[in-house]
Amino acid sequence: MELVKAPGMIGAQSVDHLRAGSTSVGGKSCARRRLSVVCSSSSPTVAPRVSSPIGGRSKPLHFLHIDDFDKKEILHLLERAVEVKALLKSGDRSFRPFNGKSMAMIFTKPSMRTRVSFETGFFLLGGHAIYLGPSDIQIGKREETRDVARVLSGYNDVIMARLFAHQDLLDLAKYASIPVINGLTDYNHPCQIMADALTIIEHVGRIEGVKVVYVGDGNNIVHSWLRLAAVVPFHFVCACPRGFEPDKETVNRATAAGLSKIEITNDPLEAVKGAHVVYSDVWASMGQKDQTAARLERFQGFQVNEKLMEAAGSQAYFMHCLPAERDVEVTDAVIESPNSIVFTQAENRMHAQNAIMLHVLGC
């Protein structure tokens, strides 16, 4: 018996076994059988892998936007995340496909979750991650992005970058000869949404067909949800104040794909009705803190509180990408409620990213 009910669909059956702590339907021994394939790498080191990577690309396989991949690949990544999470949760540390590999982590934006989840995940799978903070490189200032990409490609096996400008990420990927993973830019945050999808699968039992209602600023989180909606069918609603809608081109891209129901509205109370997930984020992101006072005024009525969650219904889970400003965009009571899954969501950053790293490294 497999972890999933049918190809391309992650069902509740896999969630039950994950919650039970088993590594697969057959238990730990079954997981070991599935993890017995040699990692496809130029290195002579023998390392197991979860399942076969999809595609036979000769160029570096970057992870920059979710819709750079098709539905089959996205669901494959989520299946691998389920498997690797279950293995790590079992306490088994024998799966070390990244032995002898290093990852350069570029940060122009500081972060707790992004750094710890990537660094810990890469370490648990046998590799070594190198943190390069805002003052270490000063990308585009002290050294040109194209030079940084070439230099780090000579030392490392993969680059993860958490940046302000999305163009810097695209330039890194253009000039790097190794995979580049988008750890966040001002435009999008695909690793977060992969973790979110994994979390929804664990709690709702699927990602296809669910209703996700985001309440707040039409920011990089919204852009990544929209790009997921371009390849996986579900119902996505962004409820935001007028003037804070997401990028129009990204909305049009998701709508034109014709897979998902996309709604942009200014009425959060109506939007959340029947939602499987109500999602929030800070109203003023990093780099926007000088707008905090003005945004507090403009976002009145967009707080996720008990009234909003009651309108959504008892089936609705609350999610937040964190860090949260409690009693601003979300009340303390909501974030601490039984239907809040924000900390599982935060943990799943590591598991989703592990699957992404395995995929781009061909393991």
Side-chain angles (χ1 to χ4, degrees):
M1 189 180 292
E2 292 294 320
L3 276 172
V4 292
K5 291 183 177 179
M9 174 69 76
I10 302 179
Q13 189 174 41
S14 64
V15 179
D16 292 338
H17 289 282
L18 184 144
R19 286 173 174 165
S22 63
T23 54
S24 72
V25 172
K28 193 171 183 179
S29 60
C30 178
R32 287 179 184 273
R33 287 198 300 273
R34 296 192 70 178
L35 296 169
S36 63
V37 187
V38 176
C39 177
S40 57
S41 169
S42 57
S43 167
T45 303
V46 174
R49 71 161 179 246
V50 174
S51 50
S52 300
I54 295 175
R57 301 168 176 85
S58 57
K59 294 181 179 180
L61 175 57
H62 305 303
F63 189 82
L64 309 180
H65 318 92
I66 289 177
D67 56 344
D68 292 339
F69 300 83
D70 61 25
K71 176 184 171 182
K72 183 179 179 182
E73 289 175 303
I74 292 299
L75 294 181
H76 175 74
L77 283 168
L78 292 170
E79 289 168 10
R80 300 184 85 193
V82 169
E83 294 175 5
V84 179
K85 177 178 180 176
L87 186 68
L88 292 176
K89 286 289 194 180
S90 76
D92 190 333
R93 296 292 184 267
S94 64
F95 180 47
R96 299 178 64 82
F98 298 154
N99 272 336
K101 295 187 182 297
S102 64
M103 173 171 61
M105 303 191 303
I106 304 172
F107 285 80
T108 58
K109 288 188 176 188
S111 169
M112 177 177 74
R113 272 156 296 280
T114 299
R115 179 179 178 179
V116 176
S117 59
F118 268 107
E119 190 167 339
T120 303
F122 203 68
F123 167 77
L124 288 174
L125 298 184
H128 173 65
I130 303 158
Y131 174 76
L132 298 165
S135 62
D136 292 318
I137 295 181
Q138 298 179 42
I139 194 165
K141 296 178 181 178
R142 180 174 176 270
E143 192 163 3
E144 288 194 25
T145 307
R146 56 184 172 175
D147 294 346
V148 171
R150 290 160 170 156
V151 169
L152 292 180
S153 293
Y155 300 143
N156 301 281
D157 299 281
V158 60
I159 297 169
M160 187 284 295
R162 179 181 169 90
L163 310 172
F164 283 96
H166 192 67
Q167 188 60 48
D168 286 341
L169 178 81
L170 299 180
D171 290 343
L172 273 175
K174 179 179 179 180
Y175 291 99
S177 57
I178 59 175
V180 173
I181 297 173
N182 180 356
L184 175 142
T185 68
D186 282 347
Y187 170 67
N188 72 339
H189 195 356
C191 289
Q192 178 67 59
I193 270 54
M194 290 296 287
D196 297 342
L198 175 60
T199 307
I200 291 170
I201 287 164
E202 290 178 354
H203 289 82
V204 179
R206 66 189 191 282
I207 183 63
E208 295 184 60
V210 302
K211 182 178 180 181
V212 177
V213 181
Y214 175 96
V215 180
D217 182 29
N219 60 14
N220 52 3
I221 294 292
V222 176
H223 297 155
S224 288
W225 273 114
L226 287 166
R227 295 188 77 137
L228 177 64
V231 290
V232 176
F234 62 97
H235 184 181
F236 180 71
V237 185
C238 175
C240 55
R242 295 187 187 280
F244 293 89
E245 293 85 1
D247 173 64
K248 187 173 294 186
E249 184 179 336
T250 305
V251 175
N252 292 341
R253 182 190 187 100
T255 304
L259 292 175
S260 300
K261 183 177 180 179
I262 308 294
E263 295 181 83
I264 311 298
T265 179
N266 308 119
D267 186 347
L269 201 61
E270 186 64 28
V272 299
K273 291 178 180 177
H276 294 92
V277 170
V278 177
Y279 197 119
S280 185
D281 191 8
V282 293
W283 291 342
S285 299
M286 199 176 301
Q288 300 173 332
K289 296 304 181 185
D290 59 329
Q291 304 173 27
T292 298
R295 284 175 174 249
L296 280 172
E297 184 177 345
R298 293 291 301 278
F299 280 74
Q300 291 304 308
F302 288 83
Q303 182 188 70
V304 179
N305 50 33
E306 295 89 325
K307 180 182 177 182
L308 201 70
M309 291 302 293
E310 186 179 340
S314 60
Q315 81 292 335
Y317 291 100
F318 175 70
M319 299 180 73
H320 194 300
C321 53
L322 300 179
E325 294 184 355
R326 294 179 183 229
D327 293 322
V328 180
E329 76 275 2
V330 58
T331 61
D332 187 76
V334 167
I335 206 169
E336 293 292 347
S337 71
N339 277 24
S340 171
I341 52 176
V342 298
F343 297 108
T344 300
Q345 179 187 0
E347 181 190 334
N348 278 341
R349 282 287 301 278
M350 182 176 77
H351 304 302
Q353 289 161 188
N354 283 347
I356 292 164
M357 291 187 293
L358 285 164
H359 192 57
V360 300
L361 286 169
C363 294

